[in-house]
Amino acid sequence: MASTFAEKILSAKSGVDAVQPGQIVTVSPDHLLSHDNTAAIIGKISDELGRFGLCRKDLHVIVLDHVVPASSETAANNHKVIRKYVKDYGIEHFFDVGEGICHQVLVEQGLARPGSLIVGSDSHTCTYGALGVFATGIDRTEAAALILTGQMWLKVPQSIKVTLAGELSRAVSAKDLVLSIIGDIGADGATYCSVEFHGNVGALTMDDRLTISNMGVEMGAKTAVFPIDSVGETFLSGLGADGGEPVWADADAGYSRHLEYDLAEIEPVVACPHTVDNLAPVTDLAETKIDQCLLGTCTNGRACDLAVAAEILKGKSIAGGVRLLVLPASRKELAKAMADGTIQTLIDAGAMLLPTGCGPCLGAHLGVLAPGERCLSTANRNFKGRMGCKEAEIFLASPATVAASALHGCISDPRNEL
Amino acid sequence: MKVWKYGDDINTDMLFPGKYTYTCATAEEILPHLLEDLDENFAGQVAPGDVILAGKNFGCGSSREQPVVGLKSAGIEAVIAKSFARIFYRAAINQGLLLIECAQAVDAYTDGEEISLDVNAGRIAIAGRQFNFPTLPDEILAIRQAGGLLPYARAKLEKSK
């Protein structure tokens, strides 16, 4: 029987043949991700941990990234509790502060294997769909139960097929593509669905696919996935993580919805306050003054993203009155960007380099906004109050748009710069 | 019973600001900040038995569970919405918070009307009109009936020991 990606993975992970959308199955995920919230998770089950122990030492992947380095005694103590848990229980996959943002680190460490099932107590766990992983976010209580039992129920989702054709134009990026899709179908357009990307996926680099899958939850998707092609194989081989068993949909699988996009028709866009689907073409927002630009995060903090910005800002200075914060997605991506002069170029242009981590994206620290301020960000969410102040406004865009805007002090079209 | 009525796409930042995510974990810490950026009256005035009525995509955004823990602890009887985001829906099952997806009931409600719920039968009554809503599959009902996922998991682990 023809099956979608989700149907195949959930069938394999539950041991149930031929699952149908709507069916409840019990699965054993390959990995569980958590971050600074690990202390809160294990705090729920301290008695049970003592009595029953961990289900599996290699299940849990912990990355400290949300408030790093610790901004307060509370945050520092939170990290201390987590390090103790890692030591006491022999957690195999632990990455301390400074390694990077959890979703980037999990991928870099080769823990996102095609055909696997990964859940995480972070809504952007869907990022690993770029590597053909069924990856989805869960809450802390689910994570706690998983640590003990290793199992959870999942409902088999319907699937949406997105077919891509053509190539992205100059100065237009994967971020513009995924924002355009969200703008078209809405923040709940893919609710409960597995979104599969088909067609000319070869036009997208692995970095592009990570950006797109990362944003899957912003259209309500359970998971947002790509097939493994030669781009994927090369990427995995570079990590020493090849040898997995990629899964992909059958040619005649059934979908609840079909979408088609000609990449050449995508233009630079901006998600306006206060929802991700509140889209406008960048040209509609010309001269919207901005106070802060955030270049980075798990969505667009890789070396290639920073390099696009550096190309626009090379030999120039950002506009007076604008703060440009650079937030690399990981230590490794930062090292790449240092080696090729990207960081130097950004610093020379007036940027401020932040430690790799989540910081400003969720208003935790390092770039919180004041009432009345506007931030143009490469992050994935612009909800009211997200960057720490409900009287501030957050706009989302691509790295190229953010760099062009930092140059001029107002939202600007990157096609005029590249 | 007070009915708190909100619109579409009520996200988890509106329900509980992200800046408190790593400083508030217990119900006592969460309650004062519930719906802080959406409705400044909610935290001080919510009472057990109250109901929230909302549009589509309620609970979209982050996987933070403080909104669910807080609403459950505040004694919210049910959240009735046109649709729910999936991480929030799951978190509610895990905390034993009742979520009801019923667009017609939300559309039919006008301010001041009485709402009564018959959860087992899957029915809401609003000013004399009845609306049905889908009940949960047995496997998931068992989790809510156990009081949430952790009580359910504990019972299973005890049994297998």
Side-chain angles (χ1 to χ4, degrees):
Chain A
M1 204 194 99
S3 299
T4 61
F5 167 86
E7 288 160 8
K8 286 192 182 181
I9 297 258
L10 295 184
S11 172
K13 296 299 173 184
S14 64
V16 176
D17 286 335
V19 300
Q20 302 284 340
Q23 187 173 348
I24 308 284
V25 295
T26 301
V27 296
S28 301
D30 293 285
H31 288 301
L32 162 69
L33 168 84
S34 66
H35 43 63
D36 295 39
N37 56 15
T38 305
I41 292 168
I42 60 179
K44 296 170 184 289
I45 52 170
S46 43
D47 287 344
E48 291 82 355
L49 274 174
R51 291 186 59 208
F52 303 107
L54 298 180
C55 182
R56 269 173 54 205
K57 271 192 200 153
D58 65 340
L59 170 72
H60 204 169
V61 180
I62 302 173
V63 183
L64 297 186
D65 65 356
H66 271 54
V67 187
V68 300
S71 63
S72 65
E73 190 177 330
T74 306
N77 204 47
N78 187 48
H79 291 161
K80 189 175 171 188
V81 166
I82 298 169
R83 289 185 193 109
K84 184 173 187 308
Y85 163 72
V86 167
K87 188 162 173 242
D88 289 348
Y89 287 89
I91 299 293
E92 290 182 23
H93 304 297
F94 171 63
F95 303 95
D96 211 326
V97 306
E99 201 53 46
I101 303 173
C102 58
H103 304 307
Q104 182 65 25
V105 172
L106 193 145
V107 166
E108 284 172 359
Q109 294 294 327
L111 295 168
R113 303 267 173 149
S116 64
L117 172 63
I118 300 178
V119 294
S121 54
D122 188 275
S123 54
H124 296 103
T125 301
C126 48
T127 302
Y128 327 132
L131 284 157
V133 176
F134 187 109
T136 197
I138 56 173
D139 58 284
R140 295 174 182 186
T141 296
E142 191 81 54
L146 252 180
I147 288 169
L148 297 173
T149 68
Q151 290 192 322
M152 60 187 287
W153 65 267
L154 277 177
K155 186 157 87 167
V156 179
Q158 295 276 4
S159 296
I160 293 175
K161 184 175 186 178
V162 181
T163 304
L164 307 175
E167 311 253 341
L168 292 166
S169 307
R170 182 187 53 83
V172 179
S173 71
K175 183 63 164 288
D176 298 301
L177 168 63
V178 70
L179 283 176
S180 299
I181 298 172
I182 295 169
D184 287 344
I185 69 175
D188 62 344
T191 296
Y192 286 98
C193 290
S194 167
V195 177
E196 292 181 14
F197 290 91
H198 291 249
N200 193 24
V201 295
L204 300 170
T205 63
M206 185 52 70
D207 289 330
D208 291 336
R209 301 175 198 189
L210 288 165
T211 297
I212 294 167
S213 292
N214 175 278
M215 299 282 290
V217 66
E218 306 308 327
M219 54 179 94
K222 190 157 181 156
T223 193
V225 295
F226 283 84
I228 296 296
D229 56 359
S230 57
V231 168
E233 282 162 9
T234 305
F235 182 83
L236 287 162
S237 166
L239 294 177
D242 45 357
E245 286 186 36
V247 166
W248 197 237
D250 294 325
D252 49 346
Y255 296 91
S256 59
R257 196 170 178 181
H258 293 253
L259 302 170
E260 289 180 4
Y261 283 89
D262 180 351
L263 300 187
E265 289 178 4
I266 302 294
E267 298 196 328
V269 287
V270 176
C272 303
H274 302 280
T275 58
V276 184
D277 57 2
N278 186 17
L279 263 259
V282 71
T283 43
D284 280 8
L285 293 160
E287 300 183 28
T288 303
K289 206 173 164 315
I290 44 175
D291 303 288
Q292 178 168 288
C293 287
L294 176 60
L295 172 69
T297 76
C298 55
T299 313
N300 280 122
R302 284 168 281 282
C304 63
D305 299 310
L306 307 187
V308 161
E311 200 184 332
I312 291 173
L313 293 169
K314 194 169 178 63
K316 300 176 183 164
S317 292
I318 60 177
V322 176
R323 311 179 297 271
L324 172 59
L325 311 182
V326 176
L327 188 64
S330 70
R331 183 199 307 276
K332 289 188 183 181
E333 292 298 311
L334 172 58
K336 281 190 221 168
M338 287 171 67
D340 71 4
T342 292
I343 297 296
Q344 187 70 57
T345 299
L346 293 172
I347 298 294
D348 288 345
M352 191 186 329
L353 181 62
L354 301 184
T356 177
C358 306
C361 181
L362 72 151
H365 65 152
L366 300 177
V368 176
L369 300 171
E373 285 195 321
R374 286 196 198 106
C375 181
L376 182 67
S377 168
T378 63
N380 46 39
R381 212 170 262 161
N382 61 351
F383 296 159
K384 190 192 281 199
R386 180 162 173 93
M387 288 182 77
C389 172
K390 68 178 182 186
E391 288 90 19
E393 293 183 315
I394 305 165
F395 296 75
L396 303 177
S398 72
T401 302
V402 170
S405 306
L407 189 56
H408 299 294
C410 54
I411 295 182
S412 305
D413 191 333
R415 292 171 294 189
N416 298 334
E417 313 297 334
L418 285 171
Chain B
M1 173 213 276
K2 184 169 158 68
V3 177
W4 300 85
K5 191 157 173 248
Y6 302 110
D8 292 333
D9 300 305
I10 301 300
N11 65 58
T12 46
D13 277 282
M14 293 166 169
L15 295 173
F16 184 82
K19 63 189 177 192
Y20 304 122
T21 314
Y22 298 98
T23 57
C24 299
T26 65
E28 293 70 30
E29 290 164 339
I30 293 167
L31 283 168
H33 300 296
L34 264 188
L35 277 64
E36 190 172 276
D37 286 353
L38 174 66
D39 181 347
E40 62 190 14
N41 296 319
F42 184 87
Q45 294 175 21
V46 63
D50 286 357
V51 162
I52 292 178
L53 211 70
K56 65 176 180 68
N57 207 21
F58 186 88
C60 61
S62 167
S63 62
R64 72 185 65 126
E65 67 175 20
Q66 285 95 333
V68 179
V69 170
L71 291 175
K72 174 77 182 168
S73 174
I76 289 288
E77 174 93 20
V79 180
I80 305 168
K82 294 189 182 180
S83 66
F84 294 95
R86 63 156 293 276
I87 301 178
F88 185 89
Y89 191 87
R90 202 182 174 94
I93 289 167
N94 291 343
Q95 299 302 322
L97 174 69
L98 178 59
L99 300 189
I100 297 172
E101 193 163 296
C102 189
Q104 298 118 315
V106 174
D107 283 334
Y109 178 80
T110 54
D111 289 348
E113 279 179 6
E114 287 282 307
I115 296 183
S116 71
L117 302 172
D118 183 344
V119 179
N120 292 332
R123 272 201 298 269
I124 308 175
I126 293 180
R129 293 177 63 191
Q130 299 240 7
F131 302 93
N132 293 332
F133 60 87
T135 48
L136 292 172
D138 290 340
E139 303 96 319
I140 298 171
L141 207 56
I143 294 172
R144 198 171 74 209
Q145 282 170 343
L149 183 63
L150 286 177
Y152 177 80
R154 273 179 210 121
K156 272 181 85 172
L157 286 165
E158 292 284 2
K159 216 168 144 183
S160 65
K161 207 167 183 213

